[in-house]
Amino acid sequence: RRAGPLWRALVGNHVRFPSKWETILGSSKPLIPSHLEWSKWYYIARHRVKGDKRLNSRELGIRSRRSGGRILLRLVVKEMHSQNICREIVVGCFHPNSKGIRRGDPKPENEDIREVYMAVRWTMYEADEEPRLDLGQEHDNYEGVVDNFLMQRRTYLDYSTMGSPLGHRKAVKNENVKAIFGDQAPTASVELHEDEFAEILKSNGVENVAVMPALVLLKLFLFSR
């Protein structure tokens, strides 16, 4: 209950929860129109960050390999002309030397490194097998600005390599789920419309350049608070 619905939504892809949890705790999916459904979570970015004081801190990151992972940011994106949610974006981090993630003994050179991932799920039509991305380059196409930023010049989604922060969905299991996701609600949660999000990206000059999107979002919506 303390970790909240987002934690259940992420972890539930990898660990089977008791069926009664959904009844007791409520849905782990934000409410959307009945003709739409949520896509799978796609882990479309992962960055290794060395020596970042914020990510290495207890307040905004992970202090040590024994601390467990952490969900740092939840970003809820709504359609421009309605209150309907169209994307949910998550940024989290974990320690590469944590038990269940590392292979063998901890590596001293990894103690100062944090793995940062970004996961996204889109709303989509029930008949679709995967989300329809808008990768148009028009300057006033807000949906395209957002999806191009998230995808970073990729043109398609591949769930076989984007199924978890470790790559394949089955790489996350009971033994390492806490080391990756922790057991807490997100440190920060932000809601905004597509046009607001696109304008923020454009005003910071990151909408059309090769960047590390998870780190950009942390800088814009968590570290700047």
Side-chain angles (χ1 to χ4, degrees), residues 171-204:
V172 178
K173 44 201 170 185
N174 282 323
E175 293 75 19
N176 61 13
V177 69
K178 185 176 179 180
I180 296 170
F181 295 110
D183 58 4
Q184 301 177 42
T187 304
S189 186
V190 178
E191 292 190 9
L192 69 175
H193 287 84
E194 284 175 324
D195 56 327
E196 294 176 294
F197 191 15
E199 290 296 342
I200 290 172
L201 295 175
K202 290 193 287 186
S203 66
N204 283 274

Side-chain angles (χ1 to χ4, degrees), residues 47-211:
H47 317 305
R48 299 201 96 191
V49 183
K50 183 176 178 61
D52 188 290
K53 292 182 179 179
R54 293 163 298 193
L55 291 174
N56 291 0
S57 72
R58 185 176 289 105
E59 293 75 24
L60 294 174
I62 297 172
R63 189 74 185 94
S64 75
R65 66 175 183 266
R66 298 179 181 87
S67 302
R70 192 165 182 182
I71 302 171
L72 298 175
L73 176 67
R74 176 188 182 232
L75 191 62
V76 176
V77 183
K78 298 180 178 180
E79 293 177 345
M80 184 170 60
H81 298 299
S82 75
Q83 293 298 315
N84 293 333
I85 299 173
C86 56
R87 297 174 193 78
E88 193 172 17
I89 305 167
V90 171
V91 180
C93 71
F94 59 90
H95 200 300
N97 267 347
S98 291
K99 188 176 180 181
I101 297 174
R102 69 176 191 259
R103 296 182 179 180
D105 294 330
K107 296 180 179 180
E109 63 270 25
N110 285 347
E111 282 301 302
D112 203 28
I113 291 175
R114 301 296 180 268
E115 297 275 3
V116 180
Y117 63 85
M118 180 178 73
V120 185
R121 63 177 172 181
W122 287 261
T123 56
M124 62 184 195
Y125 293 106
E126 293 179 344
D128 291 343
E129 294 184 0
E130 61 181 36
R132 300 182 187 183
L133 302 177
D134 186 338
L135 300 178
Q137 297 291 333
E138 299 84 359
H139 188 70
D140 59 350
N141 176 10
Y142 296 124
E143 189 173 358
V145 169
V146 172
D147 277 348
N148 274 295
F149 167 77
L150 296 174
M151 293 297 291
Q152 286 296 304
R153 299 180 180 173
R154 294 188 184 94
T155 58
Y156 63 93
L157 296 164
D158 180 6
Y159 191 67
S160 66
T161 61
M162 299 176 178
S164 82
L166 302 181
H168 195 280
R169 182 181 67 84
K170 292 185 178 180
V172 178
K173 44 201 170 185
N174 282 323
E175 293 75 19
N176 61 13
V177 69
K178 185 176 179 180
I180 296 170
F181 295 110
D183 58 4
Q184 301 177 42
T187 304
S189 186
V190 178
E191 292 190 9
L192 69 175
H193 287 84
E194 284 175 324
D195 56 327
E196 294 176 294
F197 191 15
E199 290 296 342
I200 290 172
L201 295 175
K202 290 193 287 186
S203 66
N204 283 274
V206 295
E207 83 278 17
N208 285 322
V209 297
V211 296

Side-chain angles (χ1 to χ4, degrees), residues 12 21 40 142:
W21 277 25
K40 302 171 183 174
Y142 296 124

